[in-house]
Amino acid sequence: MFRRCAPPRHRTLPVLALFLAGVLAVAGCRLAVEQATSGADAGVTEGGVLRIGDSGDLTPASLYAGAPAQTMITGLVYDTLIRYPADSLKPQPALATSWQVSPDGLTVRLTLRNGVTFHDGRPFTSEDVRFSLTTYANPARAGQLARTAALITAYDTGDPHAITLRLAQPVGNFFDLLDLVPIIDRNTMADFDAGRGYNGTGAFRFTGWKPGASITFAANKNYWKGPPHLNGVEYVIVPDVQTQVAQLRTGQLDLLWSIAPRDADALTARTRLKVVKQTGVTHNWYIGANVRAPGLGDVRLRRAIAYAVDRDRILHDIYQGHGTVASLPWPQYSPAFDAGLNSTYGYDVSRARALVAEIGTVPTIPIAYTTGSLDTEAVAQIVQADLAAAGIRTTLQPMDYAATLEHLIRGTYEGLWITAHTYTQYTPATLPTGAFPFNAQKNASNFVDAEYRRAVDTAWHTVDPNGTEAEAAYRVLNTELLDNAFVIELFNNENELAMTPALHGLKWSKKSELDLSEAYLGR
């Protein structure tokens, strides 16, 4: 016997009203996550090219890693099998219209949507699902849920419109995988790997990439949900954040994928431009520690760093209070959230100094941070000053996003680093089994520990992520994260998007990919 999902709903008219923050806007199986529209327009405007500004460039070899330019491609060009709403982990139909899970959790059968074609006109079939999942499972692809994908031991593709998956063991985050993996074309992998072409089933077709300049897309008029209103999208690479803001103000750009809180407050106070929180997608700012670097193998030093940093100052001075300080990665709606443990590492410079004194000699430690944002540089400077007050000498190492991503994947940082991670919006087991900073098998900190692995595996193999057994597993996992302090959380916030008031119908996935299938440029 199988458990069957609710049947898919038929497409309805696009939702035209902006719901209050945190409320889900759903239009049938359009699977809307949020809508950034004023609701003032009575109709929809067809045509136009949406110009999106961001600082990141495409790195084809790491398309699955989740960097902004890569996420732009996976969100516009490709579809996934299911979609989560912003406010829950209840799967909704996408390329899979329904699913059945066996009582033992080892067999999943997916019914696939009929009439879907790739951009080159080839029909979508179960073989494409098999190829996409097996490709994602390859560790060389750097897919952060590759371990979960690797649990699939058999694929039955006898029916082109359905697929049956057999798992080696049940896990609580399997549908996270189906929400994250883009369904790719098995016939064009040479172009996929080189960044020359991306053939998907999504709302927009990839039309070109000019390294360091732009990525362009055209509307897929044969999209299975209906043709987009926009004629196309241009992702414009603008390395300097203040230049991005200036180009938005002057109309050279229509949307900034991310904006600093200080700039966001100024825009809303002085212009008609809109700023919208990307509700449901939490960004977690943290300090990572490579435990193989000199000095950082001593957990006392890592704990001293955790106590030495004034999180409240960073949050209020740099991010204008847009977020919450944290010692653990989880947002408050996560079943792994623990209010008591979340304040474990409060600002305590005396305790930090005592730990440093106990250690004795501490080497000078590099702190890497990603360039392109004055806010990130300011955070690095505050962290450096806080550590100096605790007797820990550091040097700052600015690096671009491509270098940041490479170090995260390879675990080659020379000491500490400051950046943000996501994946806490998913089932809690997904973070420590998938995300580069936390993966119990191989992580950016090179932290290997049998007790941590055991805690992660227990949470992962607990099928009900909201049950009492899972709660107990999360308590053990949280204790391991805090005791070992190889990832030192700072604060959590939701990304903010800045846009022209003419942009309506903007949505996003739980992964933060932009959904422009119903977006339009009105008045």
Side-chain angles (χ1 to χ4, degrees), residues 51-71:
R51 299 156 301 176
I52 302 171
D54 195 71
S55 57
D57 201 354
L58 177 61
T59 307
S62 58
L63 191 77
Y64 293 144
Q70 286 88 306
T71 301

Side-chain angles (χ1 to χ4, degrees), residues 169-192:
Q169 49 191 321
V171 289
N173 70 332
F174 188 73
F175 278 86
D176 291 9
L177 177 74
L178 304 186
D179 176 79
L180 285 165
V181 175
I183 300 303
I184 62 176
D185 173 34
R186 61 188 185 275
N187 297 328
T188 54
M189 286 305 293
D191 288 340
F192 179 96

Side-chain angles (χ1 to χ4, degrees), residues 170-381:
V171 289
N173 70 332
F174 188 73
F175 278 86
D176 291 9
L177 177 74
L178 304 186
D179 176 79
L180 285 165
V181 175
I183 300 303
I184 62 176
D185 173 34
R186 61 188 185 275
N187 297 328
T188 54
M189 286 305 293
D191 288 340
F192 179 96
D193 288 335
R196 291 190 301 265
Y198 299 97
N199 186 30
T201 64
F204 290 86
R205 297 181 293 106
F206 172 86
T207 55
W209 170 40
K210 296 179 181 178
S214 65
I215 308 171
T216 53
F217 308 85
N220 174 15
K221 299 301 183 183
N222 298 314
Y223 189 42
W224 57 272
K225 296 182 183 179
H229 303 301
L230 295 168
N231 287 337
V233 177
E234 182 180 12
Y235 175 89
V236 184
I237 299 165
V238 184
D240 182 71
V241 174
Q242 294 308 309
T243 301
Q244 292 177 25
V245 174
Q247 291 183 351
L248 181 67
R249 285 177 178 269
T250 58
Q252 298 173 70
L253 295 172
D254 303 303
L255 170 67
L256 300 185
W257 201 339
S258 181
I259 186 168
R262 183 182 294 104
D263 292 329
D265 291 346
L267 281 175
T268 54
R270 302 172 189 170
T271 73
R272 294 181 60 247
L273 297 169
K274 297 188 296 186
V275 174
V276 177
K277 283 190 176 182
Q278 211 169 8
T279 304
V281 181
T282 302
H283 289 232
N284 306 72
W285 290 89
Y286 72 100
I287 302 171
N290 184 352
V291 300
R292 293 180 183 172
L296 291 174
D298 191 327
V299 69
R300 294 174 297 176
L301 180 57
R302 303 198 299 271
R303 291 173 183 169
I305 293 167
Y307 284 120
V309 178
D310 188 345
R311 294 165 176 79
D312 286 306
R313 179 187 173 194
I314 292 173
L315 181 62
H316 291 96
D317 289 2
I318 308 302
Y319 290 91
Q320 313 300 301
H322 292 220
T324 56
V325 298
S327 296
L328 286 168
W330 318 110
Q332 291 189 13
Y333 56 78
S334 171
F337 179 77
D338 187 314
L341 292 177
N342 200 42
S343 58
T344 296
Y345 288 112
Y347 180 49
D348 192 338
V349 69
S350 297
R351 194 165 184 178
R353 285 173 181 161
L355 286 167
V356 171
E358 185 179 318
I359 296 167
T361 303
V362 175
T364 300
I365 302 172
I367 303 176
Y369 67 93
T370 309
T371 56
S373 167
L374 294 177
D375 289 346
T376 306
E377 182 178 355
V379 170
Q381 291 170 347

